[in-house]
Amino acid sequence: MSLALDLNRIDAAYGPVQALFALNLPVAEGKVTAVLGPNGAGKTTSLRVAAGLLPPKTGTVSLRGSDVTGKAPRQIARSGLCLIPEGRGTFPSLTVRENLLLQCSIAGKKMSQVEEIAYGRFPVLGQRRGQIAGTLSGGEQHMLALSRALTTDPQVILIDEISMGLAPIIVERLFESVADIAAEGRTIVLVEQLAELVLEIADFAAVISKGTVVTIGEPGDIRHELEEIYLGADVRTEQGARVTDDTGRWKTPTGTLAHRGGCPVVVQRHDAAPVTADEEILQCAICSEHSETEGQNP
């Protein structure tokens, strides 16, 4: 399976302050990838770079195999990527219907089509169509933001802090909606602070600390490192000698997938073990294409 999005050796800065340092973030197509890490680690900056809102100083951004580095946000959006920013991404002074009406020209759809997308997925929005968006509950505002995003038929959706300010039960319902959207074949990148909740729906998880990805893998693989990372410890592992062997397949102690030696999931781990011939294990979704890319970049 190919990569939907690939941030490769990204350096990014806000003026003189560098925020990302040689960040590598491969995102498997059709999967949910959670991006975790402490405040100020670079999670939101990574999304901004991917969406074209912050051009990287160095490195490349690939969207479904095409290089979009340095392209304008509108061009990247037209290529199938949508960013739902922190803060819910709606117009709070307009009604629900007016928020959706604005999407007609952007999405190239009739109002009836836009409403079908929004109200079909979130019926409560149909009941609130005349209500000012800023007076909706936090969960309903996120539903509206997701609906607006879906009207453009994006293949890659970046969501920044969907849980902010919401009760856990509302967050769980929103995560269920995100999982349903991913099940339709869309790729979701979900930046979150609520690690345990988001790991329940994630296929992969990347942890960012101090401006770079320090670990990436299946949810079971990264849980043991989260406490150290959130407490500010430097958990960057030394590269194991094994990672130069791309001829075999590898598995982690808690993972359920098989990986090539150059896969980012295992490239820095010391506890990976060979997959034996009699083990029937599915191949990692980010493995194949990324290992080929690594082979082309010394």
Side-chain angles (χ1 to χ4, degrees), residues 95-98 100 115 119 123-132:
T95 66
V96 169
R97 190 177 188 281
E98 289 167 342
L100 296 175
E115 287 184 310
Y119 305 155
V124 67
L125 294 180
Q127 302 168 18
R128 305 277 194 273
R129 69 186 69 192
Q131 187 170 332
I132 298 296

Side-chain angles (χ1 to χ4, degrees), residues 7 9-24 35 38-49 54-58 207-214 236:
L7 277 61
R9 298 194 63 78
I10 297 292
D11 282 2
Y14 297 99
V17 181
Q18 188 159 342
L20 300 180
F21 301 84
L23 178 138
N24 292 311
V35 179
N39 288 331
K43 303 184 300 297
T44 295
T45 300
S46 300
L47 298 192
R48 288 176 57 81
V49 169
L54 179 65
K57 294 171 60 180
T58 61
V207 182
I208 297 180
S209 180
K210 302 176 183 178
T212 195
V213 172
V214 295
R236 302 182 197 191

Side-chain angles (χ1 to χ4, degrees), residues 2-7 25-33 35 156 158 187-189 204 216 285-286 290:
S2 61
L3 299 181
L5 178 67
D6 191 16
L7 277 61
L25 181 59
V27 177
E29 188 163 8
K31 304 294 182 182
V32 177
T33 297
V35 179
V156 180
L158 314 180
T187 301
I188 308 290
V189 179
F204 294 98
I216 184 170
I286 67 175
H290 199 272

Side-chain angles (χ1 to χ4, degrees), residues 60-212:
T60 58
V61 180
S62 298
L63 178 62
R64 309 191 79 193
S66 298
D67 187 352
V68 296
T69 312
K71 289 190 176 181
R74 182 180 292 272
Q75 290 177 290
I76 295 176
R78 286 175 176 168
S79 298
L81 182 144
C82 178
L83 170 64
I84 300 177
E86 181 181 327
R88 298 164 190 168
T90 61
F91 295 94
S93 61
L94 301 180
T95 66
V96 169
R97 190 177 188 281
E98 289 167 342
N99 266 272
L100 296 175
L101 182 61
L102 290 176
Q103 291 299 111
C104 292
S105 59
I106 296 172
K109 290 182 171 66
K110 297 178 180 179
M111 186 59 183
S112 59
Q113 295 172 304
V114 170
E115 287 184 310
E116 183 179 354
I117 292 170
Y119 305 155
R121 187 173 296 275
F122 301 111
V124 67
L125 294 180
Q127 302 168 18
R128 305 277 194 273
R129 69 186 69 192
Q131 187 170 332
I132 298 296
T135 66
L136 297 172
S137 69
E140 290 167 350
Q141 289 183 47
H142 277 298
M143 292 175 192
L144 180 57
L146 283 169
S147 296
R148 295 182 70 240
L150 291 172
T151 61
T152 63
D153 195 28
Q155 295 306 302
V156 180
I157 304 176
L158 314 180
I159 306 175
D160 196 1
E161 298 279 10
I162 197 172
S163 67
M164 180 170 288
L166 301 180
I169 189 171
I170 302 300
V171 175
E172 289 182 16
R173 291 173 184 169
L174 286 171
F175 281 176
E176 289 175 2
S177 296
V178 169
D180 289 342
I181 293 169
E184 298 169 359
R186 303 180 198 271
T187 301
I188 308 290
V189 179
L190 198 55
V191 163
E192 261 304 328
Q193 288 288 342
L194 299 180
E196 285 302 317
L197 282 178
V198 74
L199 290 180
E200 293 298 319
I201 66 166
D203 298 292
F204 294 98
V207 182
I208 297 180
S209 180
K210 302 176 183 178
T212 195

Side-chain angles (χ1 to χ4, degrees), residues 262-285:
C263 180
V265 174
V266 296
V267 73
Q268 291 184 314
R269 298 183 71 97
H270 292 277
D271 55 355
V275 176
T276 60
D278 60 342
E279 290 183 287
E280 296 183 0
I281 302 179
L282 293 175
Q283 185 74 19
C284 166

